[in-house]
Amino acid sequence: MRLSQFHLATVKEVPADAEIASHQLMLRSGMIRKLAAGLYTWTPLGLRVLRKVEAVIREEMNGIGAIEMLMPSVQPRELWEETGRWEKFGGQLLKIRDRKEQEFCYGPTHEEVVTDFARQELQSYKQLPLSVFQIQTKFRDEIRPRFGVMRAREFLMKDAYSFHLSAESLAETYAAMYGAYSRIFTRLGLRFRAVQADTGAIGGNASHEFQVLAEAGEDALVFSDGSDYAANIEKAEVLAPVITRPAATMAMEAVETPSQKTCEEVAELLGIPLSHTVRTLVFADAEGMVIYLVRGDHQFNEIKAARLPVLAGRELELASEGQLRAYLGEQAEAGFLGPLHTAKPVLVIADAAVAVMADFVVGANRRGHHYRGVNWGRDLAEADVVADIRNAVAGDPSPDGQGQLQLARGIEVGHIFQLGSTYAEAMKATVLNDQGKPQTLTMGCYGIGVSRIVAAAIEQSHDAEGIVWPVPMAPWKVAVCVINPKSNPEITAAAEALYLNLKARGLDPLLDDRGLRPGAMFADMELIGIPHRVVVSERGLQAGTYEYRRRAGGESEALSETDLIQRLG
């Protein structure tokens, strides 16, 4: 590509609304342009990167026998009502009407559409297993679009779906997809981890997220320093303490905490470690009230709590002021809540770390007061349920018994699910089995955020000058920069010859023939992140060499054409 014939529009200023590096650099390099909140135009430069990512994904999907197709992005309401997700999916579902007042949505995902396809196209077990995929635009009406394409409303996604007659067949395809995803992110030059994950709104029996490691990541990851164990913090198991609960050494007493509502504030006022306080979280529904207790230095994990068997079928929400007073007493107020002396019976669920505490501090259900010296069995009945309801912290033992847990930040770029028969049952998708009887299909679902990968790669690899692309994702592999081409026709000819040679060797070169001053030209190449730079100048031409520099921290070198070709190999 000759840059004089390409649209490249870089800017020096950091856009005011760009909060993270990838958003800033994608705008500065001219990869994207904002159309509206969460909506971006991909420029020719950005599209080149996007297509590089797509190519790797397609190769790996084809490699495991998945077949590409394309489904409509606009989907009828009736399909979503079959699975109950028309209302359940919430505000992210963009609902639209046509001129006949029929309702549709702009697809955020395609489980309903692909299941409808399967129930019409698949009749016999002989057609199974089947894996299909598409690369297509999705839309989720984010309440707060931010971080550029990282959390946009419109985005490009690869979604794949598989259909089976048995859980064993699904497990085989799931393993193949897991391997393909690992190869995709490895080939793209990304540092990543595959972690156990919650199935969330998609549903299913098991899932893994693929997380690109980056400080700007929205997700907290937990991994063992002694094994391959890794999980999203929402899913990471915390083992119960192996210690015995200490004996009580204090008498319970009410203490005044006039304006101290948080565990941190109470601990500071009383001059005690934060780990000696207990955090109280109160939820309720039509069946009653549930009090969760976690140690003051730990964070409550609402997803774990909601999945406890004792709460199956319940839809709890944070208790209202009226509910607090009705169940915990007329003086109950947020910030001073606790499980003692409740006005009505409540279900108390304690984290395993709280269950072994003694002489702890907890709210007194009275404004401006807490209890200290609280002990189980003496001042407070044993918890109704003891369970893992907190986030893991660094230093916790790994659930597999090998090593300790560590934390990292990650950007989710892929997610795979064993859906089971959830969607097939709801939509009556069956085939005839080998006995000639209808059998409900078993499904898998496998997604990759194609546009998100681009931003994640930048978050993982950039410096003060701009983007530092992994070679497989770079818009071009090598930039041939021409110094003062108008002053000497031989320089232009040499640059043209080198460019054509590199192109013939499949090295994906860019010829910067715009005639810019060296500083401006080099700044652009640094900003857009071309992995290799070759300078053709009059001085080099006289010496029979080219000036070569690697974008990722390399020093400039004078190389002959033979050595240069070998280096770029």
Side-chain angles (χ1 to χ4, degrees), residues 280-294:
T280 302
L281 300 105
V282 184
F283 288 71
D285 62 5
E287 295 185 38
M289 179 168 283
V290 178
I291 289 181
Y292 298 105
L293 302 176
V294 295

Side-chain angles (χ1 to χ4, degrees), residues 31 66 72 85 87 107 111 217 284 297 403 440 453-454 458 505 561:
M31 291 180 63
R85 293 207 299 172
E87 298 298 337
E111 284 81 19
D297 59 335
T440 302
I453 285 175
V454 177
I458 296 172
R505 295 173 181 271
E561 185 165 349

Side-chain angles (χ1 to χ4, degrees), residues 25 31 35 94 129 211 224 285 316 375 393 398 418 446 546:
L25 291 172
M31 291 180 63
L35 178 64
L94 179 64
Q211 297 270 358
S224 171
D285 62 5
L316 295 162
N375 284 272
V393 297
S398 178
Q418 291 189 32
Y446 320 90
Y546 301 100

Side-chain angles (χ1 to χ4, degrees), residues 157-214:
M157 182 177 177
K158 187 284 300 178
D159 48 324
Y161 307 90
S162 62
F163 299 91
H164 313 267
L165 209 58
S166 68
E168 292 75 18
S169 176
L170 169 59
E172 290 178 4
T173 297
Y174 188 87
M177 286 285 180
Y178 184 101
Y181 274 42
S182 297
R183 290 190 296 274
I184 286 168
F185 301 122
T186 299
R187 286 182 57 186
L188 291 174
L190 300 171
R191 300 189 305 279
F192 71 96
R193 273 188 176 271
V195 303
Q196 298 175 29
D198 186 74
T199 55
I202 301 298
N205 304 318
S207 74
H208 283 83
E209 291 173 351
F210 289 79
Q211 297 270 358
V212 168
L213 303 180

Side-chain angles (χ1 to χ4, degrees), residues 405-446:
L405 296 180
Q406 304 296 323
L407 302 183
R409 304 300 302 181
I411 299 168
E412 181 187 342
V413 291
H415 205 157
I416 59 178
F417 302 83
Q418 291 189 32
L419 292 179
S421 58
T422 302
Y423 292 89
E425 284 181 355
M427 299 183 69
K428 298 179 175 56
T430 65
V431 296
L432 297 179
N433 62 22
D434 58 359
Q435 303 298 314
K437 297 181 179 180
Q439 182 170 330
T440 302
L441 290 167
T442 295
M443 293 174 57
C445 170
Y446 320 90

